[in-house]
Amino acid sequence: MTKNENGRIHRFDSIADETPTEAVIRSHASLRDKQPIDLSPLADAIPCNALNALVNTGDEVTVTFTYEGTQTTVHGDGEIVIHEPA
């Protein structure tokens, strides 16, 4: 985790055979010490099929959206960055 005047930044990596959607949900659940079922539906923030399709097109892809009150960025290389505002 990195902390600055703009808030906290958390970095996660996806694991083998995990879709980008699954990685986002797992990362947010881990960050909040919750079960994935206790989070708001990711589909309310971004179309899950579109997220998976876009991110799986290559390492150079980056998708950013708002989820669970954070700015969440998914990189094509599997990195998930969650920025919690200050």
Side-chain angles (χ1 to χ4, degrees):
M1 178 192 67
T2 305
K3 187 173 182 178
N4 61 31
E5 65 277 354
N6 296 321
R8 294 181 293 178
I9 299 171
H10 307 269
R11 297 180 187 282
F12 298 89
D13 289 315
S14 61
I15 55 177
D17 298 324
E18 182 177 53
T19 66
T21 299
E22 293 168 335
V24 168
I25 293 168
R26 179 185 49 79
S27 298
H28 275 274
S30 173
L31 179 64
R32 288 171 176 69
D33 197 26
K34 291 184 175 183
Q35 294 297 313
I37 193 75
D38 296 327
L39 301 174
S40 61
L42 182 58
D44 289 350
I46 190 167
C48 294
N49 288 339
L51 175 63
N52 290 335
L54 283 169
V55 172
N56 286 331
T57 61
D59 289 350
E60 301 297 318
V61 175
T62 301
V63 179
T64 300
F65 54 95
T66 301
Y67 179 60
E68 289 283 317
T70 69
Q71 178 180 321
T72 300
T73 302
V74 182
H75 297 273
D77 66 0
E79 182 182 40
I80 311 291
V81 179
I82 301 172
H83 178 247
E84 294 183 293

